[in-house]
Amino acid sequence: YQKRWVKLDADYLRYFDSEKDTYSKRLIPVSSISRVSSVGDQKFEVVTNNRNFVFRAENDADRNEWIWTLQQIAEERKSKAPERTSMSSATDSTTEPADKSGFLELRGFKHKLFVVVAGDKVFLYKNAEDYRLGIGITYIEMNVGNVKEVDRRGFDLTTPYRIFSFSADSEQEKEEWVEAMQQSITEALSNSEVAKRIWAVESNRFCADCGSPKPDWASINLCVVICKRCAGEHRGLGPGITKVRSLKMDRKVWTETLIELFQRFGNMMANEFWAANVPPSEAISPTSGSQERRRFLIAKYREGKYRHYHPLFGNQEELDRALCAAVTTSDLAETQALLFCGASVTCDTGDPQCPTPLALAERSGQRLQMEFLLHNKTSGWFGGCCWVGQSSGRLLSALLCCAEFSRRWCTLQDGVLSYYENDRNTVPNGEIRVEEIVCLVNNPLHAHGIESTFEVYTEADRLYLFGLESPDSAREWLKSIAKSFVHPSAEELLALDFERLGRLHYKGGLTLERAQEGWFALVGSTLHVCSEDGRRQEPLQLRKLQELCDLPGGRRHGVWGNTQPPAEPSRAGRTLYIQGERKLDFLGWVHAIQKAAGSSGDTLSEQQLTESDVPLLVDRCIDYITQCGTGQGIYRKSGQNSKTTSLLEVLQRDARRVRLKEGEHQVDDVANTLKRFFRDLGDGLFTRRWAPDWLWATALEDEEAKVVKYRQLLAALPPVNRATLKALINHLFRIQCFSGENQMNTHNLAIVFGPTLFQTDGKDYKAGRVVEDLIGHYVEIFNVNDQEMKKQQDEITAIMKMREASSSGTQQAGDFICTVYLEEKKTETEQHVKIPATMTAEELTFEILDRRKIVIKEKDYWSCFEVNEREEA
């Protein structure tokens, strides 16, 4: 017998050389233990499915306690084993499902080890047979791991406790291993809060398709929770069928309402519909291969082969009528059956006040029905079959309301887009004259279950949907159609890789008397505009808009934004009013502009931005904390978790609409929100590419050399990251100016923000050193000139004076007296108003109108302008 330190948890029995070791010599899955029994003085035997282990305790009492504890855990695991569903007949496996597996050399071992990357862990086994049996050496938690390539075939997996030096058989294989381990680190650092809440429902703990445990992916429109391998095959079906999101990484999509929908729905309810008639011979299991999964999922979701048919299937009118009734109740199962058997999510309800099922659900207060409909509003379900043309001249066309593609031969000639039954017919089934086209839309890949699709809107308020197998062919058709209907004065827009292109009426600047026709092209988050006289206006950076709002009247959309280009900083912003003449294409423009103007991801460049390229969320939080909350313990004290989660969610959804106000928002909640934003930030503030170099720079002993290195690294960051880092360090520099009052000096701020900005667990002191250096050398590193420094000092002095005045009770901090004129600058229109620091322009406008007893009529629009000392608005 060799003396070993033994640990037992809910998943593994492990033994180590000593109690100080982090990584075990051997691990035995609890799920593989079939029996535990006494075998003599102080000894007991652990019997697994394929191997026996004999242990000896220090005394009989210890031995008996070990036996009892092991038996309890083994029995508990057996009682919680998943009941096999009709979709999976495979036996439970003791091994983790592998994302990557194979043999690698590991320094310190004579023979190659069988290494497995599984989820957020890396497992080491002596050989492949031990992996099959589940008897391993140890596993490495990747939330503390970092992977670094060292030579052509070698790479290191570094943890705070040990460095694992691996060597692969080839350079290509090394790169595959490094990528797999980096993905494992990403998964380990992701947030599991959503997954835990959704797993609270028993049926959601196992994949809805194959039965694998702990599925951490989901289809948000089908409301099923699925495993990683099934999620990969779901993506192949296209977002028109299934919209796949991660429970752990796609944090933004998981609103409280969507989580509640999954808790109410659950895999059980979903499969009562989708998997009602699955033959055992066609079911898949956790061990099924990719081809089996793909075949099964196509049959299950695209073809609806196993679904429980609604009695009204085939009767479109009755299905739509039943859907309108179901969405006003809490019966989600009925809505699911109707929608996925052909009911149209956009059908006409016959109610002018609530023209769609979504509007009916909203009026009835059915939040979950609304959420379900919203995620399925672009899904195409079972009205018929899709046919994909084989020739570049063959397109697919159908009216969108048919939810059906028909194979057609199409031609574009002499200003007419015609579609025929086949290439031998001479009489077209229909025609679209290019002068009637008002808008073209290039859809994302697989948007309607076909590789590439695009939409054509006409003046008759009709929509045609076309599709091809090849993205290049689709782009060629789009360009040809666009060239034939876009006015020559706007031809330069054709060179853009647009998502949406069309003509609309608009009013802008100071010429608001008459709307003029213009050509608009949406490219990412940029809106390009050409006027009717051929003048191309400065593009609108939609993520930098000051305000975006719908105007009364149903067919007008107002965009108020600062559009000044970097080369012309003196130009002022402008207001742009966009008007639509047709409801169908105009609603598409509204939705597309709103989406483009919002945050689209979790990296900095995908956020709504200020004119100086700082995320609006960061700017809002910093501004509020600077004005209202640099008191004692700022950033050290934690806010309420629920309030932080809620505030972060609304800011990420649309920071433009959020106004942080004293009394409504607690300073610690806002501070917590800012910290969590940076901790959860995709790619981090310093970026994964450059973060290690920032940490390395702290080792430089020469302060001047260190500052030079920091400046080089700052210049290497993307522009938005660079601007955000400067804004944050500027803010922290101000905070430490009040350290006598708030106890947050440079060192204390570094302790808080180091791990937050580098997204570490706080054990690496170098992260704090970087932040401490950046604050300490703020002026040199960020090249702050004397004028900028004086402005900041003046602001700090002003804040301190306001604080003193506020604490003395002499006046309300931030209030000042302002002269306001109503319509004209005359003595009789003059009003003197006391304005708090938190008052908005809207509140000031209402205050003035209320004083003069002016009633606002339906079509009245009042604006408030600030005028500088030269009387320039």
Side-chain angles (χ1 to χ4, degrees), residues 143-241:
N143 62 332
V144 295
N146 184 41
V147 186
K148 185 177 182 180
E149 300 181 42
V150 294
D151 56 39
R152 194 172 65 84
R153 295 190 300 115
F155 63 96
D156 288 347
L157 172 54
T158 306
T159 75
Y161 319 105
R162 179 178 170 182
I163 297 175
F164 296 85
S165 297
F166 293 103
S167 183
D169 289 338
S170 67
E171 186 173 1
Q172 181 181 349
E173 192 177 339
K174 176 205 69 176
E175 290 174 356
E176 290 174 0
W177 278 104
V178 168
E179 183 181 357
M181 290 190 182
Q182 286 174 338
Q183 288 179 351
S184 180
I185 291 170
T186 300
E187 186 166 336
L189 295 175
S190 61
N191 193 338
S192 60
E193 180 184 347
V194 170
K196 289 176 181 175
R197 292 177 63 184
I198 288 178
W199 289 343
V201 178
E202 180 70 26
S203 64
N204 289 346
R205 296 176 196 167
F206 306 98
C207 175
D209 297 325
C210 74
S212 292
K214 292 185 178 179
D216 51 6
W217 291 81
S219 170
I220 59 172
N221 63 311
L222 301 176
C223 289
V224 291
V225 188
I226 52 180
C227 66
K228 186 175 183 178
R229 294 187 67 188
C230 286
E233 302 304 329
H234 268 256
R235 285 197 192 92
L237 299 177
I241 301 294

Side-chain angles (χ1 to χ4, degrees), residues 247-435:
L247 297 185
K248 295 181 177 179
M249 291 178 281
D250 293 323
R251 300 181 185 91
K252 288 186 180 179
V253 75
W254 293 104
T255 61
E256 284 298 317
T257 309
L258 184 57
I259 293 172
E260 189 180 341
L261 179 63
F262 267 74
Q263 290 172 332
R264 283 277 301 277
F265 223 100
N267 283 351
M268 181 179 291
M269 185 191 295
N271 274 333
E272 284 174 356
F273 173 78
W274 289 111
N277 303 292
V278 180
S281 61
E282 296 184 23
I284 59 173
S285 71
T287 57
S288 295
S290 295
Q291 287 188 343
E292 288 179 271
R293 290 174 194 267
R294 190 175 306 121
R295 170 195 56 76
F296 176 75
L297 295 177
I298 288 173
K300 183 178 179 181
Y301 297 115
R302 180 178 285 175
E303 299 172 2
K305 183 178 179 180
Y306 313 123
R307 59 188 157 149
H308 179 77
Y309 283 88
H310 195 279
L312 298 175
F313 179 76
N315 189 330
Q316 188 66 48
E317 189 176 336
E318 291 297 324
L319 281 169
D320 291 347
R321 187 179 293 116
L323 178 66
C324 292
V327 297
T328 63
T329 72
S330 59
D331 192 347
L332 291 166
E334 176 71 0
T335 301
Q336 170 192 237
L338 289 163
L339 195 59
F340 297 145
C341 279
S344 172
V345 73
T346 57
C347 67
D348 187 0
T349 64
D351 183 346
Q353 300 299 318
C354 297
T356 64
L358 181 62
L360 287 174
E362 183 176 12
R363 185 173 67 183
S364 302
Q366 296 295 337
R367 293 184 304 107
L368 300 188
Q369 293 277 15
M370 289 173 61
E371 189 77 9
F372 187 58
L373 292 172
L374 280 169
H375 288 295
N376 282 286
K377 64 182 178 181
T378 56
S379 303
W381 298 107
F382 312 116
C385 297
C386 296
W387 295 86
V388 181
Q390 302 301 315
S391 158
S392 63
R394 187 184 301 274
L395 286 92
L396 310 175
S397 87
L399 293 176
L400 186 62
C401 59
C402 294
E404 176 183 21
F405 282 93
S406 305
R407 199 181 209 177
R408 295 288 182 264
W409 179 263
C410 297
T411 63
L412 178 61
Q413 189 174 7
D414 298 328
V416 180
L417 176 61
S418 307
Y419 48 96
Y420 301 79
E421 192 69 32
N422 54 57
D423 56 353
R424 295 182 299 275
N425 282 32
T426 56
V427 179
N429 288 20
E431 294 178 338
I432 306 170
R433 306 192 69 81
V434 293
E435 64 262 28

Side-chain angles (χ1 to χ4, degrees), residues 438-441 455 457 485 493 498-505 518-524 526-529 542 548 550 555 557 559 578-597:
V438 295
C439 183
L440 287 177
V441 177
E455 298 167 11
Y457 293 79
F485 94 94
L493 298 180
F498 60 85
E499 297 157 27
R500 182 176 287 267
L501 173 72
R503 53 187 165 95
L504 294 163
H505 286 82
W519 292 88
F520 291 74
L522 183 62
V523 183
T526 305
L527 186 64
H528 299 262
V529 185
L542 296 177
L548 177 66
D550 289 311
R555 293 194 179 186
H557 192 58
V559 181
I578 302 173
Q579 296 177 204
E581 300 302 321
R582 295 151 301 274
K583 184 176 181 181
L584 193 60
D585 75 288
F586 184 68
L587 289 177
W589 275 106
V590 171
H591 174 74
I593 290 173
Q594 287 173 336
K595 183 178 180 182

Side-chain angles (χ1 to χ4, degrees), residues 114-130:
F114 193 78
V115 182
V116 175
V117 180
D120 58 358
K121 297 182 181 67
V122 171
F123 291 82
L124 306 182
Y125 299 88
K126 284 187 176 180
N127 49 54
E129 177 64 16
D130 276 6

